Amino acid sequence: MKHFLKLLDYSGKEIIEMLNLADQLKYEQKHGIEHKHLAGKTLGMIFQKASTRTRVSFEVGMYQLGGYPLFLSANDMQIGRGEPVQDTARVLSRFLDGIMIRTFEQAEVETLAEYGSIPVINGLTDFCHPCQVMADLMTIRESKGSLEGLKLCFIGDGNNMANSLIVGGLKTGMSVTIACPEGYDPPKEILDFAKEYGDKFGLYRDPKEAAKNADVVYTDVWASMGQEEEAQLRAKSFAGIYCVDADLMSVTNKDCMVLHCLPAHRGEEITADVFEAHASEIFEEAENRLHAQKAVLVTMMKD
Ligand code: CP
Ligand code: NVA
């Protein structure tokens, strides 16, 4: 049984193979070439948190692959009233061919996979966002030709996005730096993983030091979903420093890309001028959620 729970579970080679398939599926979609690899298959999509991109790209992606997506709001499911995830997993496995889940705890996704008997795909947890990073890697490779040897710099909270970018970036041959305030470092598990890559990884407090000679600058919100109550406190630690602005971009390599998983807060983690100057990259990245996830779906669910 194949699951897509976190990038730590995949080798660089396996990630690249999925990116190759994503490129092929994008080509086929753009040229009207049918690719119904999942004809007759069903995907349940459980959402415990809000979503625009993930929901729409999975739903449309399943349709384009010949399958059927079911949107399952956790608020309307018994899981939202306390039915154990172990039972939900065993019931849904009898109806569906795959599950995509967006939730809080990574442990819930892992338990769903352990107790179910169908592929489980992580559509974001507090720990990681592997589907987003597949689209990010695809976008960088499309623009730069290859990933090997590039420098990716993340500015902001050591959150789910930072975690998946560190793992995905290092595994595919990039060097990765992150600049975050003290107290907002990525978790130990991720830092231990990154340590194995020696000087290909760097953790900084000063964004400009981290961004020096970067080929890609990436940022994300200061307060993630579920951290709404901490937003004001977090803003005090991040404001005015952990912001992708023209001054930060002055130390990067020429033709440095700027990516953002979205939604973006202009004037907080990114200025409006930098966002608009890189809007074509950022919205290509958003589109690539569709193609990259179709590759994940086919890899996990095709017989
Ligand atoms: N980037 C991302 O996952 O967007 P949504 O929250 O809209 O799904
Ligand atoms: N870190 C953000 C990512 C949203 C796609 C969050 O978890 O809310």
Side-chain angles (χ1 to χ4, degrees):
M1 181 60 49
K2 284 191 204 159
H3 301 291
F4 194 68
L5 308 180
K6 53 188 182 300
L7 292 178
L8 283 169
D9 298 336
Y10 282 87
S11 68
K13 185 168 170 278
E14 288 168 323
I15 293 170
I16 296 289
E17 276 166 11
M18 283 190 270
L19 295 181
N20 293 343
L21 178 57
D23 287 347
Q24 186 190 326
L25 292 169
K26 183 171 183 176
Y27 178 88
E28 290 175 358
Q29 186 60 33
K30 300 273 179 201
H31 291 83
I33 302 167
E34 203 169 271
H35 46 277
K36 301 205 181 300
H37 299 294
L38 300 181
K41 302 232 181 210
T42 50
L43 178 79
M45 310 187 306
I46 304 174
F47 284 92
Q48 300 259 22
K49 291 175 176 170
S51 171
T52 297
R53 281 144 288 269
T54 306
R55 177 181 173 179
V56 177
S57 54
F58 265 104
E59 198 158 331
V60 171
M62 260 321 261
Y63 171 76
Q64 291 176 355
L65 290 167
Y68 182 79
L70 291 85
F71 171 71
L72 304 168
S73 162
N75 287 337
D76 300 328
M77 292 176 76
Q78 297 290 8
I79 201 170
R81 297 178 57 244
E83 183 169 15
V85 65
Q86 293 88 336
D87 297 356
T88 306
R90 285 175 284 190
V91 171
L92 292 182
S93 293
R94 288 170 183 255
F95 298 140
L96 299 167
D97 299 297
I99 299 173
M100 191 286 300
I101 179 167
R102 166 170 286 198
T103 190
F104 295 87
E105 305 242 328
Q106 179 71 14
E108 188 179 352
V109 179
E110 306 268 348
T111 306
L112 196 60
E114 186 186 339
Y115 280 81
S117 53
I118 54 175
V120 173
I121 296 170
N122 182 344
L124 180 146
T125 61
D126 294 343
F127 177 64
C128 63
H129 197 1
C131 289
Q132 175 69 52
V133 169
M134 292 303 290
D136 301 337
L137 297 174
M138 178 180 180
T139 311
I140 298 167
R141 200 172 70 151
E142 270 180 342
S143 171
K144 300 282 186 193
S146 88
L147 298 172
E148 192 72 44
L150 295 178
K151 175 172 172 177
L152 168 67
C153 168
F154 179 89
I155 306 290
D157 185 20
N159 64 10
N160 45 11
M161 280 313 314
N163 294 347
S164 288
L165 285 166
I166 290 168
V167 176
L170 290 173
K171 283 198 177 204
T172 55
M174 287 192 271
S175 61
V176 181
T177 57
I178 162 164
C180 60
E182 212 171 328
Y184 294 96
D185 290 355
K188 184 175 178 307
E189 183 181 356
I190 296 295
L191 294 179
D192 285 348
F193 166 84
K195 233 181 249 164
E196 290 169 26
Y197 287 79
D199 62 6
K200 288 200 143 200
F201 175 74
L203 173 65
Y204 299 86
R205 299 287 168 234
D206 177 359
K208 267 180 145 175
E209 253 186 81
K212 209 189 250 171
N213 300 123
D215 300 295
V216 186
V217 167
Y218 201 114
T219 190
D220 183 19
V221 291
W222 297 335
S224 287
M225 290 182 279
Q227 296 172 334
E228 288 77 8
E229 283 177 11
E230 294 173 30
Q232 277 190 325
L233 182 73
R234 284 173 164 265
K236 280 193 193 143
S237 306
F238 288 85
I241 305 168
Y242 296 91
C243 176
V244 176
D245 57 14
D247 186 40
L248 182 94
M249 294 308 294
S250 72
V251 302
T252 65
N253 274 348
K254 196 173 154 276
D255 299 327
C256 179
M257 299 175 78
V258 174
L259 296 180
H260 193 309
C261 55
L262 303 175
H265 292 72
R266 291 165 178 77
E268 293 186 14
E269 76 275 6
I270 190 165
T271 55
D273 58 327
V274 171
F275 185 94
E276 290 307 331
H278 292 271
S280 59
E281 291 156 11
I282 293 169
F283 291 106
E284 193 68 28
E285 174 191 16
E287 178 188 323
N288 283 341
R289 292 295 304 277
L290 172 68
H291 311 297
Q293 275 154 212
K294 283 166 73 180
V296 172
L297 285 165
V298 171
T299 306
M300 302 302 134
M301 289 175 65
K302 195 175 174 184
D303 293 326

